Amino acid sequence: MTTIRTARDSQWGEVFSRLRTMTREGRYEEVEAEARALAALPRRPWRRRPPHWEARVLATGTAVMHGRTAEALDELDALIAELEPVGLNSQMLRLTARSNRVAALSGLRRHAEAETEALAVLGELTRIAHRAPVSALELNTLGHLAAVLCGLARHEEAEAVARGNLPRAGGPAVAVLHTTLARSLTGQGRHEEALTELGRSLPRPPRHAAGYLDLVAAEALYALGRRAEAEDAVRRSLAACEKMLHPAHPRTAEARALLARVTGGGQGTGSGGEGVPGE
């Protein structure tokens, strides 16, 4: 197996392919550590494809997925400022970093900034669509945007974005988009419809979406007055967050807050809408 220590310039593509596979498997800590080691390699002018930028984008992206949003945002801001979009590869790396920035801003509840960034990324992807395969990044950014719109309480718009892009989604992204769609329905008071969406046979969600489905289900159940079921769902959500995500992940705090309302008799459904970062 090609590793960072053994890779030659011509083999870096193989290394990054392996790291992307590990990311899809939810091995965020391993990927980030290896990507940071790769970014730290000496950059020499004769290297045909310096791995530095791609490695940093991958490292910061996995940090966001794991839930270290505040820490990752500072690094993303610096990285985006340094990445000059002079070639198509650099443009795509910069747009990937900016899409990760949308997820980080959303996780920190800076929803207005996140919307502005998401729309800017989508606009740039449209402009280069004839030159590069942008579909996956576009769909990922649209998923972030749907969650951001929930956070802004613009639930009808969030529903349109999520529902409109479900036919394009595949694999774990389907489960994430269905869950965001359900959250948008709960925000509109359509709680039974939300539970129907969540009750579909969905692919297993990615690790970064741990606890998301149960959290949204708990919100809908609580709004319907089904408090015992809501408590069970939110406890499952919290357990999954604590097991699979970084302690700083915003969804963990959201699950704890909802559990306190459910068990303490507070009012409201708490449509936090922090969203789920993509891959």
Side-chain angles (χ1 to χ4, degrees):
M1 180 180 69
T2 303
T3 67
I4 286 173
R5 292 183 181 278
T6 63
R8 298 179 180 180
D9 288 7
S10 61
Q11 296 173 306
W12 282 335
E14 180 184 334
V15 171
F16 281 112
S17 178
R18 176 173 57 79
L19 291 177
R20 284 190 290 270
T21 297
M22 290 167 61
T23 301
R24 289 191 291 272
E25 294 169 350
R27 297 161 62 182
Y28 304 141
E29 301 93 330
E30 296 173 68
V31 173
E32 182 181 355
E34 195 164 344
R36 290 193 184 283
L38 185 54
L41 288 175
R43 287 186 283 166
R44 298 184 176 91
W46 61 84
R47 289 194 185 276
R48 292 192 302 276
R49 184 177 174 236
H52 179 80
W53 299 115
E54 191 168 351
R56 286 181 65 188
V57 170
L58 185 57
T60 50
T62 50
V64 173
M65 290 182 200
H66 197 200
R68 300 194 342 265
T69 48
E71 174 186 341
L73 182 59
D74 289 339
E75 188 173 358
L76 278 166
D77 287 340
L79 174 58
I80 291 164
E82 293 172 36
L83 253 173
E84 291 292 336
V86 291
L88 190 57
N89 186 55
S90 293
Q91 281 182 290
M92 287 300 296
L93 285 175
R94 193 168 189 266
L95 288 170
T96 299
R98 291 181 66 187
S99 185
N100 291 335
R101 184 174 185 269
V102 174
L105 287 167
S106 180
L108 295 170
R109 296 178 180 269
R110 292 165 59 177
H111 299 303
E113 295 171 73
E115 182 191 13
T116 299
E117 184 76 322
L119 293 175
V121 170
L122 291 168
E124 290 198 32
L125 288 172
T126 298
R127 284 191 288 275
I128 65 171
H130 65 292
R131 301 171 54 211
V134 303
S135 180
L137 182 56
E138 181 183 49
L139 182 61
N140 197 42
T141 306
L142 285 163
H144 297 334
L145 178 61
V148 166
L149 291 169
C150 284
L152 290 167
R154 288 158 53 189
H155 301 291
E156 294 87 351
E157 294 173 68
E159 179 188 358
V161 173
R163 198 182 293 281
N165 287 283
L166 269 170
R168 300 173 53 196
V174 174
V176 176
L177 266 181
H178 267 290
T179 305
T180 301
L181 173 58
R183 176 161 257 178
S184 74
L185 295 171
T186 287
Q188 297 174 64
R190 295 156 61 187
H191 310 301
E192 294 286 2
E193 290 180 65
L195 292 175
T196 297
E197 287 295 333
L198 297 173
R200 295 178 185 273
S201 178
L202 300 174
R204 182 178 179 179
R207 179 184 167 191
H208 65 76
Y212 188 38
L213 189 150
D214 280 321
L215 179 64
V216 175
E219 291 172 342
L221 290 164
Y222 182 45
L224 290 168
R226 294 159 61 177
R227 184 164 296 186
E229 294 170 83
E231 181 177 347
D232 288 344
V234 75
R235 287 191 186 279
R236 288 195 302 271
S237 173
L238 182 58
C241 291
E242 291 177 337
K243 178 181 179 181
M244 302 183 72
L245 302 174
H246 190 272
H249 199 290
R251 193 176 308 121
T252 305
E254 189 178 358
R256 287 180 181 141
L258 181 57
L259 179 60
R261 288 197 301 276
V262 170
T263 58
Q267 298 298 313
T269 60
S271 56
E274 87 287 350
V276 182
E279 297 172 31

